[in-house]
Amino acid sequence: MALIDDIRAYEPFNEQEAVDRLAILRALANDPHVFDRSAPAHMACSIWTVDPAKQRTLMVYHNLYDSWSWIGGHADGERDLARVALRELEEETGVAGARLVPSGPGGIFSLEVLTVDGHEKRGRYVGSHLHLNVTYLAVASPEEPLRVKPDENSGVRWVDLDDVCTVSTEPWIVDRIYRKLIGKLAGVAL
């Protein structure tokens, strides 16, 4: 499978990515249901979307996390996570004209294992689980019209990179993920 080969070839940026890369590869090798959200650890993806000047990123006010957040979603059986990431971007924000920036094998920009606490969704309890997350980098025009996806978010806006870590109320995501993504962005040509 191309995704496994891409993750194997991916060079971790830091210790978090090295540890999480191994966990993702183990799950891909051992769980035939890893692309289905019914698995306790399942594949998901995110898309870190920036403007052409690399000064702002697109964020949504995520209803579940009650915080400004990056964009992403579940694989739900799809193995082309780059396609899923672009679809999630359009569904959650209205942005349809983004392009992926080739930044690693298969376009992978970052890897992470993310914990998701148990919660209610559409009137049903969803148990705590792990997102085995592949992040892609995209560039989009801030001129594109934005719209919310009310069942998932209640706001969409471009946020200055200098403000990302203050608008989010998720300390672990800020410290381990957003700071990393901002740091990695400096070395990428759009």
Side-chain angles (χ1 to χ4, degrees):
M1 170 192 309
L3 180 63
I4 293 173
D5 292 339
D6 292 339
I7 293 172
R8 280 189 187 123
Y10 179 79
E11 282 293 323
F13 179 74
N14 59 19
E15 186 178 11
Q16 169 267 309
E17 284 195 354
V19 170
D20 290 354
R21 178 178 162 269
L22 292 175
I24 293 168
L25 286 170
R26 268 194 307 275
L28 285 165
N30 295 313
D31 185 353
H33 304 289
V34 74
F35 285 90
D36 182 346
R37 73 171 78 192
S38 66
H42 51 262
M43 296 305 297
C45 61
S46 296
I47 189 160
W48 187 248
T49 307
V50 298
D51 68 330
K54 296 193 301 187
Q55 294 179 352
R56 295 181 288 171
T57 188
L58 190 58
M59 298 185 88
V60 296
Y61 195 86
H62 201 289
N63 296 338
L64 176 62
Y65 302 118
D66 197 21
S67 178
W68 287 99
S69 179
W70 57 353
I71 296 128
H74 293 91
D76 286 335
E78 174 68 55
R79 295 175 189 272
D80 184 346
L81 295 183
R83 182 177 19 215
V84 173
L86 285 169
R87 182 179 68 231
E88 291 291 332
L89 175 64
E90 185 172 356
E91 286 177 2
E92 292 184 26
T93 70
V95 171
R99 73 171 167 81
L100 291 179
V101 177
S103 50
I108 296 171
F109 184 56
S110 177
L111 295 172
E112 43 278 319
V113 175
L114 306 169
T115 59
V116 180
D117 292 337
H119 59 276
E120 297 281 335
K121 186 163 187 176
R122 296 183 184 104
R124 295 184 56 169
Y125 182 75
V126 177
S128 298
H129 56 276
L130 295 176
H131 283 176
L132 307 172
N133 200 66
V134 178
T135 300
Y136 296 89
L137 176 63
V139 63
S141 169
E143 304 305 315
E144 282 207 50
L146 302 177
R147 64 168 166 67
V148 300
K149 186 173 189 267
D151 65 326
E152 291 191 26
N153 65 60
S154 54
V156 179
R157 70 176 179 148
W158 288 93
V159 176
D160 288 341
L161 290 179
D162 291 341
D163 296 332
V164 167
C165 296
T166 57
V167 300
S168 175
T169 57
E170 300 175 272
W172 188 88
I173 294 284
V174 166
D175 292 338
R176 294 292 181 160
I177 306 301
Y178 296 158
R179 290 186 199 286
K180 173 186 70 171
L181 296 175
I182 292 166
K184 290 179 81 165
L185 185 60
V188 176
L190 301 182

